[in-house]
Amino acid sequence: MVKRNPNIGRLKAGYLFPEISRRRREFAARHPEAKIISMGVGNTTEPIPPHICAALVGGARRLGRAETYSGYADEGLIELREAISRVNYNGAFGPEEVFISDGSKCDIGRLQTLFGPEAKAAVQDPSYPVYVDGSVVAGAAGRENSFSGCEDGDCGGGGYGGVKYLPCTPENNYFPDLSRIEDGSIIYFCSPNNPTGAVATKPQLAALVSAALRTGSIIVYDAAYSEYIRDAALPKTIYELDGARKCAIEVNSFSKSAGFTGVRLGWSVVPRDLVFSGGGSVNADWSRLTATVFNGASNIAQYGGIAALDEEGRREVRELTDFYLGNARLIRGALKTLNIGCIGGDNSPYIWARFPGRDSWDVFAELLEKYHVVTTPGSGFGPAGETFIRFSAFGRRADVEEVCGRLTAH
Ligand code: PLP
Protein backbone atom coordinates (compact mmCIF):
# COMPACT_ATOMS: atom_id res chain seq x y z
CA MET A 1 0.00 0.00 0.00
CA VAL A 2 1.12 3.58 -0.66
CA LYS A 3 1.68 5.62 2.49
CA ARG A 4 -0.23 8.84 2.93
CA ASN A 5 1.83 12.05 2.82
CA PRO A 6 2.05 12.85 6.54
CA ASN A 7 2.03 16.58 5.80
CA ILE A 8 -1.53 16.35 4.45
CA GLY A 9 -2.53 14.79 7.77
CA ARG A 10 -0.97 17.74 9.57
CA LEU A 11 -3.38 20.25 8.03
CA LYS A 12 -5.89 21.56 10.53
CA ALA A 13 -9.33 20.01 10.17
CA GLY A 14 -11.42 21.05 7.19
CA TYR A 15 -10.45 23.85 4.87
CA LEU A 16 -12.46 26.91 5.85
CA PHE A 17 -14.76 27.21 2.85
CA PRO A 18 -15.91 23.57 2.70
CA GLU A 19 -16.79 23.91 6.40
CA ILE A 20 -18.82 27.06 5.70
CA SER A 21 -20.63 25.25 2.86
CA ARG A 22 -21.38 22.33 5.16
CA ARG A 23 -22.93 24.64 7.77
CA ARG A 24 -24.91 26.45 5.08
CA ARG A 25 -26.30 23.15 3.73
CA GLU A 26 -27.19 22.04 7.22
CA PHE A 27 -29.06 25.32 7.86
CA ALA A 28 -30.84 25.11 4.48
CA ALA A 29 -32.01 21.59 5.27
CA ARG A 30 -33.54 22.85 8.52
CA HIS A 31 -35.02 26.00 6.89
CA PRO A 32 -35.91 25.18 3.29
CA GLU A 33 -37.98 28.41 3.07
CA ALA A 34 -35.03 30.70 3.90
CA LYS A 35 -33.46 32.74 1.09
CA ILE A 36 -29.82 32.44 2.06
CA ILE A 37 -27.47 35.09 0.65
CA SER A 38 -23.73 34.62 0.69
CA MET A 39 -21.39 37.45 1.52
CA GLY A 40 -18.77 34.99 2.58
CA VAL A 41 -16.60 34.00 -0.32
CA GLY A 42 -14.19 35.89 -2.54
CA ASN A 43 -15.65 34.54 -5.76
CA THR A 44 -16.57 37.12 -8.39
CA THR A 45 -20.17 37.43 -9.56
CA GLU A 46 -20.21 39.99 -12.40
CA PRO A 47 -19.73 39.07 -16.07
CA ILE A 48 -16.41 39.66 -17.80
CA PRO A 49 -16.71 43.07 -19.51
CA PRO A 50 -17.32 43.09 -23.30
CA HIS A 51 -13.94 44.21 -24.65
CA ILE A 52 -12.03 41.70 -22.53
CA CYS A 53 -14.58 38.96 -23.21
CA ALA A 54 -14.34 39.59 -26.98
CA ALA A 55 -10.57 39.06 -26.73
CA LEU A 56 -11.15 35.70 -25.03
CA VAL A 57 -13.50 34.72 -27.87
CA GLY A 58 -10.93 35.97 -30.38
CA GLY A 59 -8.26 33.92 -28.59
CA ALA A 60 -10.39 30.79 -28.98
CA ARG A 61 -10.99 31.54 -32.68
CA ARG A 62 -7.24 31.87 -33.29
CA LEU A 63 -6.89 28.25 -32.25
CA GLY A 64 -9.31 27.19 -34.98
CA ARG A 65 -7.19 28.53 -37.84
CA ALA A 66 -3.91 27.06 -39.08
CA GLU A 67 -2.36 30.53 -39.58
CA THR A 68 -2.92 31.61 -35.99
CA TYR A 69 -2.92 28.31 -34.11
CA SER A 70 -0.46 28.11 -31.18
CA GLY A 71 0.48 25.38 -28.71
CA TYR A 72 2.47 25.60 -25.49
CA ALA A 73 3.42 29.13 -24.56
CA ASP A 74 5.76 28.13 -21.69
CA GLU A 75 6.40 31.19 -19.52
CA GLY A 76 3.70 33.13 -21.35
CA LEU A 77 3.06 35.16 -24.49
CA ILE A 78 5.70 37.82 -24.85
CA GLU A 79 3.06 40.53 -25.57
CA LEU A 80 1.36 39.75 -22.27
CA ARG A 81 4.59 39.73 -20.27
CA GLU A 82 5.61 43.06 -21.80
CA ALA A 83 2.16 44.55 -21.19
CA ILE A 84 2.21 43.46 -17.52
CA SER A 85 5.62 45.05 -17.03
CA ARG A 86 4.60 48.27 -18.82
CA VAL A 87 1.19 48.73 -17.16
CA ASN A 88 1.92 47.52 -13.64
CA TYR A 89 5.61 48.22 -13.17
CA ASN A 90 6.42 51.15 -15.48
CA GLY A 91 8.43 48.79 -17.66
CA ALA A 92 10.88 48.05 -14.82
CA PHE A 93 11.08 44.33 -15.60
CA GLY A 94 12.17 42.43 -18.66
CA PRO A 95 9.82 39.73 -19.96
CA GLU A 96 12.17 37.07 -18.55
CA GLU A 97 11.30 38.36 -15.06
CA VAL A 98 7.52 38.06 -15.57
CA PHE A 99 6.07 34.53 -15.52
CA ILE A 100 2.51 33.94 -16.68
CA SER A 101 0.51 31.44 -14.67
CA ASP A 102 -2.93 29.98 -14.11
CA GLY A 103 -3.47 32.16 -11.04
CA SER A 104 -1.75 33.48 -7.96
CA LYS A 105 -2.90 30.71 -5.63
CA CYS A 106 -1.31 28.15 -7.95
CA ASP A 107 1.86 30.25 -8.05
CA ILE A 108 2.01 30.42 -4.25
CA GLY A 109 1.75 26.61 -4.12
CA ARG A 110 4.55 26.23 -6.64
CA LEU A 111 6.70 28.80 -4.80
CA GLN A 112 6.44 26.64 -1.71
CA THR A 113 7.89 23.76 -3.74
CA LEU A 114 10.66 26.12 -4.86
CA PHE A 115 11.66 26.94 -1.27
CA GLY A 116 11.28 23.37 -0.05
CA PRO A 117 10.56 21.76 3.33
CA GLU A 118 13.32 23.58 5.23
CA ALA A 119 11.86 27.03 4.50
CA LYS A 120 10.60 29.02 7.49
CA ALA A 121 7.43 30.94 6.82
CA ALA A 122 6.34 34.19 8.46
CA VAL A 123 2.70 35.06 7.82
CA GLN A 124 0.38 37.89 8.68
CA ASP A 125 -2.19 36.61 11.15
CA PRO A 126 -4.98 36.55 9.99
CA SER A 127 -4.11 35.61 6.43
CA TYR A 128 -5.28 33.93 3.25
CA PRO A 129 -5.10 30.21 4.12
CA VAL A 130 -2.77 28.99 1.34
CA TYR A 131 0.29 30.66 2.90
CA VAL A 132 0.06 28.47 6.01
CA ASP A 133 -1.58 25.38 4.55
CA GLY A 134 0.73 25.32 1.53
CA SER A 135 3.75 25.66 3.82
CA VAL A 136 2.45 22.77 5.92
CA VAL A 137 2.01 20.57 2.85
CA ALA A 138 5.53 21.53 1.75
CA GLY A 139 6.79 20.22 5.09
CA ALA A 140 6.91 23.21 7.43
CA ALA A 141 4.78 21.58 10.12
CA GLY A 142 6.82 18.42 10.33
CA ARG A 143 9.80 20.13 11.90
CA GLU A 144 10.49 21.03 15.47
CA ASN A 145 9.78 24.67 16.27
CA SER A 146 12.54 26.62 14.65
CA PHE A 147 11.43 30.00 15.91
CA SER A 148 12.61 31.38 19.19
CA GLY A 149 9.31 33.22 19.56
CA CYS A 150 7.24 30.05 19.62
CA GLU A 151 7.54 29.40 23.34
CA ASP A 152 5.02 32.12 23.96
CA GLY A 153 2.45 30.07 22.07
CA ASP A 154 2.24 32.40 19.11
CA CYS A 155 3.49 30.07 16.44
CA GLY A 156 -0.04 29.18 15.46
CA GLY A 157 -2.95 27.54 17.22
CA GLY A 158 -1.56 24.02 17.54
CA GLY A 159 1.99 25.05 16.68
CA TYR A 160 3.22 24.57 13.15
CA GLY A 161 6.97 24.42 13.74
CA GLY A 162 8.09 26.18 10.60
CA VAL A 163 5.39 28.83 10.50
CA LYS A 164 5.62 32.08 12.46
CA TYR A 165 2.41 34.05 12.89
CA LEU A 166 2.67 37.84 12.87
CA PRO A 167 -0.52 39.15 14.51
CA CYS A 168 -2.26 42.05 12.74
CA THR A 169 -4.79 43.53 15.12
CA PRO A 170 -6.48 46.86 15.86
CA GLU A 171 -3.73 47.46 18.46
CA ASN A 172 -0.99 47.53 15.80
CA ASN A 173 -3.23 49.04 13.14
CA TYR A 174 -3.17 45.71 11.27
CA PHE A 175 0.53 45.96 10.50
CA PRO A 176 2.78 43.31 12.09
CA ASP A 177 5.71 43.71 14.43
CA LEU A 178 8.57 43.18 11.97
CA SER A 179 11.16 42.61 14.71
CA ARG A 180 9.65 39.12 15.07
CA ILE A 181 10.87 38.01 11.63
CA GLU A 182 13.65 35.45 11.90
CA ASP A 183 16.66 35.29 9.58
CA GLY A 184 16.05 33.57 6.27
CA SER A 185 12.25 33.56 6.37
CA ILE A 186 9.76 33.49 3.54
CA ILE A 187 7.51 36.40 4.48
CA TYR A 188 4.00 36.14 3.03
CA PHE A 189 2.52 39.61 2.84
CA CYS A 190 -0.82 40.49 1.27
CA SER A 191 -1.92 44.07 0.55
CA PRO A 192 -4.75 44.98 0.13
CA ASN A 193 -5.20 42.28 2.67
CA ASN A 194 -7.48 39.32 2.58
CA PRO A 195 -9.23 39.08 5.03
CA THR A 196 -8.75 42.39 6.88
CA GLY A 197 -9.03 44.79 3.94
CA ALA A 198 -6.08 46.75 5.39
CA VAL A 199 -3.71 48.31 2.87
CA ALA A 200 -0.06 48.88 3.82
CA THR A 201 1.24 52.43 3.42
CA LYS A 202 4.49 53.33 1.69
CA PRO A 203 6.41 53.82 4.99
CA GLN A 204 5.09 50.47 6.23
CA LEU A 205 6.23 48.68 3.08
CA ALA A 206 9.59 50.47 3.27
CA ALA A 207 9.97 49.01 6.77
CA LEU A 208 8.97 45.57 5.47
CA VAL A 209 11.59 45.73 2.71
CA SER A 210 14.25 46.86 5.22
CA ALA A 211 13.32 43.99 7.55
CA ALA A 212 13.57 41.48 4.69
CA LEU A 213 16.98 42.83 3.61
CA ARG A 214 18.22 42.88 7.21
CA THR A 215 17.17 39.30 7.90
CA GLY A 216 18.06 37.84 4.47
CA SER A 217 14.41 36.94 3.97
CA ILE A 218 12.31 36.80 0.81
CA ILE A 219 8.93 38.52 0.68
CA VAL A 220 6.18 36.82 -1.31
CA TYR A 221 4.02 39.86 -1.93
CA ASP A 222 0.45 38.99 -2.86
CA ALA A 223 -1.06 41.91 -4.76
CA ALA A 224 -4.20 40.09 -5.95
CA TYR A 225 -6.37 43.06 -4.94
CA SER A 226 -4.13 45.90 -6.11
CA GLU A 227 -6.73 47.12 -8.63
CA TYR A 228 -9.02 48.02 -5.71
CA ILE A 229 -6.66 50.70 -4.42
CA ARG A 230 -8.17 54.13 -4.96
CA ASP A 231 -5.99 56.21 -2.62
CA ALA A 232 -3.10 57.35 -4.83
CA ALA A 233 -0.74 57.49 -1.84
CA LEU A 234 -1.04 53.72 -1.24
CA PRO A 235 1.43 51.49 -3.10
CA LYS A 236 -0.02 49.08 -5.66
CA THR A 237 3.14 47.00 -5.87
CA ILE A 238 6.04 46.22 -3.54
CA TYR A 239 8.40 47.38 -6.29
CA GLU A 240 7.47 50.99 -5.59
CA LEU A 241 9.93 50.61 -2.69
CA ASP A 242 13.68 50.88 -3.12
CA GLY A 243 15.46 47.59 -2.52
CA ALA A 244 12.39 45.42 -3.19
CA ARG A 245 13.85 43.81 -6.28
CA LYS A 246 16.59 42.34 -4.09
CA CYS A 247 14.16 40.73 -1.63
CA ALA A 248 10.67 40.33 -3.11
CA ILE A 249 8.66 38.18 -5.44
CA GLU A 250 5.24 39.55 -6.39
CA VAL A 251 2.23 37.45 -7.35
CA ASN A 252 -0.89 38.88 -8.92
CA SER A 253 -3.73 37.83 -11.18
CA PHE A 254 -6.66 38.85 -13.36
CA SER A 255 -9.12 37.03 -11.10
CA LYS A 256 -10.40 39.92 -9.01
CA SER A 257 -9.68 42.71 -11.49
CA ALA A 258 -11.19 41.30 -14.70
CA GLY A 259 -13.43 38.55 -13.32
CA PHE A 260 -11.05 35.74 -14.38
CA THR A 261 -11.67 33.56 -11.30
CA GLY A 262 -12.96 30.83 -13.60
CA VAL A 263 -10.79 31.70 -16.60
CA ARG A 264 -7.53 31.32 -14.61
CA LEU A 265 -4.71 33.75 -15.42
CA GLY A 266 -2.07 35.30 -13.18
CA TRP A 267 1.59 36.13 -13.03
CA SER A 268 4.62 36.24 -10.79
CA VAL A 269 7.50 38.70 -10.94
CA VAL A 270 10.82 37.18 -9.94
CA PRO A 271 13.52 39.83 -10.36
CA ARG A 272 16.94 38.86 -11.64
CA ASP A 273 18.48 40.64 -8.61
CA LEU A 274 16.96 38.14 -6.18
CA VAL A 275 19.41 35.52 -4.93
CA PHE A 276 19.49 32.63 -2.46
CA SER A 277 21.92 32.61 0.46
CA GLY A 278 24.54 30.82 -1.66
CA GLY A 279 24.24 33.45 -4.41
CA GLY A 280 22.18 31.30 -6.81
CA SER A 281 19.54 32.99 -8.92
CA VAL A 282 15.95 32.62 -7.70
CA ASN A 283 14.76 33.61 -11.17
CA ALA A 284 16.72 30.74 -12.78
CA ASP A 285 15.32 28.18 -10.32
CA TRP A 286 11.77 29.50 -10.75
CA SER A 287 12.14 29.25 -14.51
CA ARG A 288 13.40 25.68 -14.14
CA LEU A 289 10.65 24.71 -11.71
CA THR A 290 7.79 26.18 -13.70
CA ALA A 291 9.08 24.51 -16.87
CA THR A 292 9.21 21.22 -14.95
CA VAL A 293 5.80 21.13 -13.28
CA PHE A 294 3.72 23.62 -15.26
CA ASN A 295 3.18 23.92 -19.00
CA GLY A 296 1.92 27.49 -19.13
CA ALA A 297 -1.43 29.22 -18.87
CA SER A 298 -4.19 28.84 -21.44
CA ASN A 299 -3.36 30.93 -24.49
CA ILE A 300 -7.06 31.81 -24.83
CA ALA A 301 -6.91 33.36 -21.35
CA GLN A 302 -3.71 35.19 -22.25
CA TYR A 303 -5.40 37.03 -25.12
CA GLY A 304 -8.02 38.12 -22.61
CA GLY A 305 -5.23 39.30 -20.30
CA ILE A 306 -3.64 41.38 -23.05
CA ALA A 307 -7.00 43.07 -23.68
CA ALA A 308 -7.46 43.73 -19.94
CA LEU A 309 -4.26 45.77 -20.03
CA ASP A 310 -5.02 47.99 -23.02
CA GLU A 311 -6.79 51.32 -22.67
CA GLU A 312 -10.31 50.00 -23.09
CA GLY A 313 -9.57 47.00 -20.89
CA ARG A 314 -8.18 49.26 -18.13
CA ARG A 315 -11.38 51.30 -18.27
CA GLU A 316 -13.46 48.12 -17.93
CA VAL A 317 -11.35 46.87 -15.01
CA ARG A 318 -11.85 50.20 -13.28
CA GLU A 319 -15.61 50.03 -13.78
CA LEU A 320 -15.81 46.44 -12.54
CA THR A 321 -13.76 47.08 -9.42
CA ASP A 322 -15.75 50.29 -8.81
CA PHE A 323 -18.90 48.16 -8.81
CA TYR A 324 -17.59 45.85 -6.06
CA LEU A 325 -16.29 48.85 -4.10
CA GLY A 326 -19.85 50.22 -4.34
CA ASN A 327 -21.08 47.00 -2.68
CA ALA A 328 -18.42 47.44 -0.01
CA ARG A 329 -19.67 50.97 0.70
CA LEU A 330 -23.20 49.67 1.25
CA ILE A 331 -21.97 46.97 3.65
CA ARG A 332 -19.85 49.46 5.59
CA GLY A 333 -22.86 51.77 5.82
CA ALA A 334 -25.06 49.00 7.24
CA LEU A 335 -22.42 48.01 9.80
CA LYS A 336 -22.05 51.66 10.80
CA THR A 337 -25.80 51.91 11.38
CA LEU A 338 -25.49 48.91 13.69
CA ASN A 339 -22.51 50.45 15.47
CA ILE A 340 -20.29 47.54 14.50
CA GLY A 341 -16.66 48.63 14.15
CA CYS A 342 -14.95 47.63 10.92
CA ILE A 343 -12.05 48.34 8.59
CA GLY A 344 -11.47 47.71 4.88
CA GLY A 345 -13.87 48.12 1.99
CA ASP A 346 -12.46 51.48 0.88
CA ASN A 347 -9.41 50.26 -1.05
CA SER A 348 -10.29 46.58 -0.94
CA PRO A 349 -13.31 44.34 -1.47
CA TYR A 350 -13.26 42.94 2.08
CA ILE A 351 -14.70 44.39 5.26
CA TRP A 352 -13.37 43.13 8.57
CA ALA A 353 -15.98 43.57 11.29
CA ARG A 354 -15.24 43.45 15.00
CA PHE A 355 -17.31 41.60 17.57
CA PRO A 356 -15.25 42.03 20.75
CA GLY A 357 -15.40 39.12 23.16
CA ARG A 358 -17.37 36.90 20.77
CA ASP A 359 -16.37 33.60 19.20
CA SER A 360 -16.36 34.21 15.44
CA TRP A 361 -18.07 30.90 14.56
CA ASP A 362 -20.84 31.90 17.03
CA VAL A 363 -21.26 35.25 15.26
CA PHE A 364 -21.26 33.41 11.91
CA ALA A 365 -24.05 31.14 13.22
CA GLU A 366 -26.03 34.08 14.57
CA LEU A 367 -25.86 35.97 11.26
CA LEU A 368 -26.97 32.82 9.43
CA GLU A 369 -29.82 32.03 11.84
CA LYS A 370 -31.11 35.58 12.24
CA TYR A 371 -30.49 37.17 8.84
CA HIS A 372 -29.90 34.13 6.60
CA VAL A 373 -26.57 35.61 5.57
CA VAL A 374 -23.41 33.58 5.05
CA THR A 375 -20.21 35.34 6.12
CA THR A 376 -16.72 34.11 6.93
CA PRO A 377 -15.63 33.64 10.55
CA GLY A 378 -12.36 35.44 11.19
CA SER A 379 -10.83 32.59 13.17
CA GLY A 380 -10.69 30.59 9.91
CA PHE A 381 -7.90 32.93 8.79
CA GLY A 382 -5.70 32.46 11.86
CA PRO A 383 -5.74 32.86 15.65
CA ALA A 384 -5.80 36.68 15.51
CA GLY A 385 -8.98 36.50 13.42
CA GLU A 386 -10.99 35.36 16.44
CA THR A 387 -13.82 37.83 17.32
CA PHE A 388 -13.92 39.08 13.69
CA ILE A 389 -16.18 38.40 10.71
CA ARG A 390 -15.22 38.98 7.08
CA PHE A 391 -17.84 40.40 4.76
CA SER A 392 -17.06 40.06 1.07
CA ALA A 393 -18.19 42.70 -1.43
CA PHE A 394 -18.30 40.14 -4.24
CA GLY A 395 -22.02 39.77 -4.87
CA ARG A 396 -24.94 40.87 -7.00
CA ARG A 397 -26.11 44.39 -6.12
CA ALA A 398 -29.68 43.29 -5.34
CA ASP A 399 -28.37 40.67 -2.89
CA VAL A 400 -26.10 43.16 -1.15
CA GLU A 401 -28.97 45.63 -0.83
CA GLU A 402 -31.21 42.93 0.55
CA VAL A 403 -28.62 41.84 3.12
CA CYS A 404 -28.05 45.44 4.22
CA GLY A 405 -31.82 45.89 4.52
CA ARG A 406 -32.16 42.73 6.62
CA LEU A 407 -29.30 43.78 8.92
CA THR A 408 -30.57 47.30 9.52
CA ALA A 409 -34.27 46.42 9.78
CA HIS A 410 -33.74 44.59 13.08
N1 PLP B 1 -4.41 35.79 -3.16
C1 PLP B 1 -5.40 36.22 -2.38
C2 PLP B 1 -5.08 37.10 -1.24
C3 PLP B 1 -6.72 35.82 -2.60
O1 PLP B 1 -7.68 36.25 -1.80
C4 PLP B 1 -7.00 34.96 -3.69
C5 PLP B 1 -8.36 34.50 -3.97
O2 PLP B 1 -9.30 34.69 -3.28
C6 PLP B 1 -5.93 34.54 -4.46
C7 PLP B 1 -4.65 34.96 -4.18
C8 PLP B 1 -6.14 33.55 -5.56
O3 PLP B 1 -6.31 34.13 -6.74
P1 PLP B 1 -6.19 33.35 -8.12
O4 PLP B 1 -7.59 33.23 -8.63
O5 PLP B 1 -5.33 34.21 -8.94
O6 PLP B 1 -5.58 32.01 -7.88
Side-chain angles (χ1 to χ4, degrees), residues 42 102-106 108 128 131 190 194 222 224-225 253 255-256 261 264-265 350:
D102 51 349
S104 44
K105 189 187 212 176
C106 323
I108 293 161
Y128 181 52
Y131 312 140
C190 177
N194 177 8
D222 187 341
Y225 298 98
S253 93
S255 286
K256 309 301 169 88
T261 40
R264 311 304 305 145
L265 187 68
Y350 296 117

Side-chain angles (χ1 to χ4, degrees), residues 131-208:
Y131 312 140
V132 172
D133 287 358
S135 300
V136 169
V137 172
R143 305 200 313 272
E144 288 306 303
N145 287 350
S146 51
F147 291 107
S148 50
C150 272
E151 299 85 58
D152 55 13
D154 64 357
C155 53
Y160 286 140
V163 181
K164 175 95 166 178
Y165 283 67
L166 306 173
C168 296
T169 60
E171 289 69 39
N172 60 17
N173 213 8
Y174 300 96
F175 188 77
D177 174 0
L178 302 174
S179 69
R180 296 161 53 85
I181 296 170
E182 302 267 329
D183 284 355
S185 298
I186 306 301
I187 307 166
Y188 293 94
F189 197 94
C190 177
S191 178
N193 189 268
N194 177 8
T196 67
V199 187
T201 63
K202 218 163 183 176
Q204 285 174 332
L205 287 191
L208 178 68

